[in-house]
Amino acid sequence: MFKLFKKDDSAFKNQVELVIKIFSLLPVKFINIKQQLSEGILTGFKKESSNYTKFSLRTDVLNKYEDKKGDCFEIKGIKVFDKNLQDFTEINLEVAYGIFIGYSSPGVREINPDIDKIDARNFWVKSFENNEFKNLKNILSEEELQMINPNDVYELELDGQTYYHLKDIEDGDFIGIDKTKRIFKITHDPYTIIEIKEKLVDIM
């Protein structure tokens, strides 16, 4: 969102092929993720760090499969053959609230995968808490925290500043808060960040 993602057609196609092939090797319990991938949920990607790739998502497919009460977890232990290394390297898949959002390749900065050489036999799942929501506990009162759904909270960077998503409004717009407890309405089209001079409990 907000022009953070790129879509080089050949690179993007390779990314999608890799992800679809990996999930095709995983058990039926991941059927919802397989279906969302087949319906074209991935629309672009961005290298978030030296070895983490995050995807932008198609809103209609996201809304169809998102589970607000779902877990956040990584699927680990998957080995993919890297053509540059001429060896297998690990890929960790990240899932949040029923939606596949990205993957990391801890052993390499950028993987050059052979999608015909993937070993998913020893995969395992690592669950993790919503650390972004835990961060809000340091700045919000108990009353304010009770009005926020932890599953709605995630961190994002816009124009060099860090915000926490608190609640969707409409059409991709949302209410956000920064680390100094200032509250904002952030809109997608047109792209604006407008501070709201109201109490959080009244806004929520």
Side-chain angles (χ1 to χ4, degrees):
M1 60 170 58
F2 305 113
K3 299 182 181 178
L4 290 179
F5 296 93
K6 64 183 178 181
K7 187 176 179 181
D8 175 276
D9 286 341
S10 60
F12 176 65
K13 180 181 178 182
N14 291 338
Q15 295 280 353
V16 173
E17 286 181 350
L18 172 63
V19 172
I20 289 176
K21 183 59 181 289
I22 291 174
F23 275 101
S24 74
L25 300 173
L26 296 179
V28 69
K29 69 178 181 178
F30 299 111
I31 185 64
N32 281 352
I33 298 177
K34 298 178 185 184
Q35 290 174 341
Q36 65 191 240
L37 291 171
S38 70
E39 292 179 26
I41 191 171
L42 305 182
T43 61
F45 72 98
K46 176 191 176 186
K47 295 292 291 185
E48 287 267 297
S49 64
S50 61
N51 58 14
Y52 181 70
T53 298
K54 185 174 184 178
F55 290 89
S56 55
L57 309 173
R58 213 175 93 192
T59 305
D60 59 332
V61 184
L62 168 66
N63 292 338
K64 179 178 178 181
Y65 288 99
E66 185 178 25
D67 178 4
K68 294 286 188 180
K69 297 181 179 180
D71 294 330
C72 297
F73 59 89
E74 278 186 305
I75 305 172
K76 302 173 72 72
I78 296 168
K79 304 290 186 179
V80 178
F81 191 84
D82 186 285
K83 296 177 183 178
N84 295 334
L85 288 178
Q86 286 296 299
D87 198 359
F88 282 89
T89 190
E90 184 174 353
I91 278 187
N92 302 322
L93 308 171
E94 188 169 342
V95 177
Y97 314 117
I99 303 296
F100 170 72
I101 59 173
Y103 72 84
S104 62
S105 51
V108 294
R109 177 177 174 82
E110 191 148 357
I111 189 169
N112 182 14
D114 183 339
I115 65 170
D116 294 320
K117 295 181 179 180
I118 298 174
D119 183 356
R121 292 172 296 178
N122 297 315
F123 85 91
W124 55 284
V125 174
K126 176 185 177 181
S127 296
F128 49 85
E129 294 185 74
N130 186 337
N131 291 324
E132 286 85 356
F133 182 70
K134 287 172 64 177
N135 291 338
L136 290 184
K137 291 182 179 180
N138 297 323
I139 63 174
L140 300 182
S141 68
E142 285 299 322
E143 181 185 12
E144 291 167 332
L145 289 169
Q146 288 176 5
M147 305 189 74
I148 298 171
N149 183 346
N151 292 341
D152 288 339
V153 177
Y154 57 86
E155 183 180 297
L156 69 162
E157 185 175 306
L158 302 172
D159 297 337
Q161 299 295 320
T162 299
Y163 300 90
Y164 294 95
H165 174 286
L166 297 183
K167 183 178 182 179
D168 287 326
I169 307 174
E170 57 183 12
D171 299 329
D173 302 343
F174 63 93
I175 299 298
I177 191 170
D178 69 8
K179 294 180 180 179
T180 64
K181 206 175 175 179
R182 292 188 301 163
I183 305 165
F184 301 87
K185 177 181 179 181
I186 301 175
T187 65
H188 175 67
D189 187 17
Y191 170 43
T192 60
I193 302 176
I194 302 170
E195 186 171 0
I196 303 175
K197 299 291 187 178
E198 295 180 42
K199 294 182 179 180
L200 181 60
V201 290
D202 296 332
I203 295 171
M204 299 301 287

